Amino acid sequence: MSDPVSIWDALLNPFDWVRIPFDSWVSTGIQFLVTHFRPIFQSVRLPINSLLRSFQHLLLNTPPTVVLGVLTASAWQLAGRQVGFFGFLALSLIGFVGAWQPAMVSLSLVLTAVVVCLLLGIPLGVLCARSDPFEKLLRPLLDAMQTLPVFVYLVPVVMLFGVGEAPGVIATVIYALPPLIRLTNLGIRQVPEEVVEAALAFGATPNQILWETQIPLAIPTILAGVNQTVLFALGMSVVTSMIAVPGLGLVVLRGLNGLNVGMAATGGLGILLLAILLDRVTQQVGQIDFQRTWYRRGPIGWGWKRWQRWQARDPH
């Protein structure tokens, strides 16, 4: 017969008597993946490295003045004159405080992560909008990706992909992808049923309804998801610096490790200015009037108007 005192203790505090070896299961599972499938995971690094090297080659090997001019003109073209002027001031300040090179490295990492997120997030968001079972199946995974502390999945990422820039991009994608999937799904589901029924009544196929009706009407919501993805990706720069990812995050980390307040503040200032600039640009892109001809706005529109005036004055 069991000791009644022990039974009572077990009922009052069952956690001392029963323990699920969750940590051992996870460690064994990850070790199994590392032992048998690491080459497959390593092959994922190749396209990411290729894309990342292209952005870094473009941003780091071009003279800073040229990059500054192109980025300012791009911000003006996409988001208007005020954002373009702010972009010029922000990027100039980043350069003058000595953070130009790490800022361009961080920008190339963000651009790479955002491109991967766009390639994965929009198709998955469309699938969620068109299939309720798929949306229900994916929702717990998205919840886990958004709510798990970043350091939890940083460890398996390092074990499977190693350290460096490509694993940093992969960890960033895991963190920044869910908002894009959710908002793409939401944007397509919010398209009025009357509009879809009208398209069906005119004989449109499901693909025509998707590409010519639902996605154009959902673009503002999808771009809000892109905005969130960009900001999440930039916010990961400090965390990924812990796995030897260079950039502004590494500047902050070195300042923290050496108790160098100035170095940490320089890195933080660069992250702040880049975040504000990318946020303003992506916000304004969502408000663009796509009915207006693209060459009639921004620096291209400015040049186009002057070209027309010059042609009007030319007697020949």
Side-chain angles (χ1 to χ4, degrees):
M1 185 175 178
S2 303
D3 185 359
V5 177
S6 299
I7 295 173
W8 182 248
D9 288 344
L11 289 173
L12 288 179
N13 189 5
F15 308 122
D16 283 344
W17 294 80
V18 179
R19 182 173 178 272
I20 299 173
F22 179 73
D23 52 348
S24 301
W25 294 349
V26 173
S27 298
T28 305
I30 294 296
Q31 194 58 50
F32 177 81
L33 291 175
V34 171
T35 305
H36 296 90
F37 299 101
R38 197 163 194 267
I40 297 175
F41 287 99
Q42 290 288 317
S43 65
V44 176
R45 297 176 56 142
L46 297 178
I48 292 175
N49 268 329
S50 175
L51 186 61
L52 182 61
R53 293 285 174 266
S54 301
F55 282 126
Q56 287 185 347
H57 180 77
L58 193 65
L59 292 174
L60 294 175
N61 293 342
T62 306
T65 305
V66 177
V67 176
L68 177 63
V70 171
L71 293 179
T72 301
S74 301
W76 180 10
Q77 184 70 35
L78 291 172
R81 188 177 302 173
Q82 290 182 345
V83 177
F85 183 63
F86 171 77
F88 174 77
L89 292 179
L91 293 171
S92 299
L93 183 56
I94 288 173
F96 285 127
V97 298
W100 180 264
Q101 186 166 359
M104 292 302 105
V105 172
S106 290
L107 186 58
S108 63
L109 289 165
V110 169
L111 291 174
T112 305
V114 170
V115 168
V116 176
C117 285
L118 289 174
L119 292 175
L120 296 175
I122 292 180
L124 288 174
V126 171
L127 284 175
C128 286
R130 304 187 80 173
S131 169
D132 287 337
F134 183 76
E135 195 263 343
K136 289 178 181 175
L137 185 69
L138 195 62
R139 190 187 301 166
L141 180 62
L142 297 180
D143 291 340
M145 290 164 69
Q146 275 195 295
T147 55
L148 270 179
V150 178
F151 300 103
V152 173
Y153 55 76
L154 210 55
V155 176
V157 164
V158 170
M159 292 178 70
L160 294 169
F161 299 98
V163 296
E165 295 170 338
V169 171
I170 292 167
T172 303
V173 168
I174 294 171
Y175 183 66
L177 184 60
L180 184 56
I181 297 176
R182 290 184 193 277
L183 288 172
T184 301
N185 174 29
L186 179 66
I188 293 176
R189 286 179 185 271
Q190 283 182 334
V191 174
E193 284 292 329
E194 296 81 5
V195 176
V196 177
E197 289 173 2
L200 276 172
F202 280 100
T205 64
N207 283 334
Q208 286 175 325
I209 293 173
L210 175 67
W211 292 107
E212 298 175 15
T213 303
Q214 291 176 311
I215 287 186
L217 291 175
I219 277 181
T221 310
I222 294 173
L223 288 175
V226 175
N227 172 273
Q228 292 298 301
T229 296
V230 169
L231 295 182
F232 280 26
L234 190 58
M236 278 288 288
S237 60
V238 177
V239 177
T240 54
S241 65
M242 295 179 182
I243 55 172
V245 176
L248 291 169
L250 191 60
V251 176
V252 175
L253 186 66
R254 284 176 177 165
L256 183 65
N257 289 336
L259 295 180
N260 188 332
V261 180
M263 182 184 288
T266 301
L269 178 67
I271 293 172
L272 172 68
L273 293 174
L274 272 184
I276 294 174
L277 177 59
L278 293 174
D279 176 61
R280 299 298 182 272
V281 170
T282 49
Q283 275 190 3
Q284 291 297 321
V285 168
Q287 299 173 8
I288 286 178
D289 180 7
F290 289 95
Q291 301 297 322
R292 190 181 176 190
T293 311
W294 63 271
Y295 57 80
R296 292 186 185 278
R297 62 173 184 264
I300 298 176
W302 182 83
W304 174 256
K305 288 176 185 174
R306 271 138 193 84
W307 168 254
Q308 285 186 318
R309 287 178 189 172
W310 181 80
Q311 277 195 322
R313 291 176 184 173
D314 187 358
H316 302 291

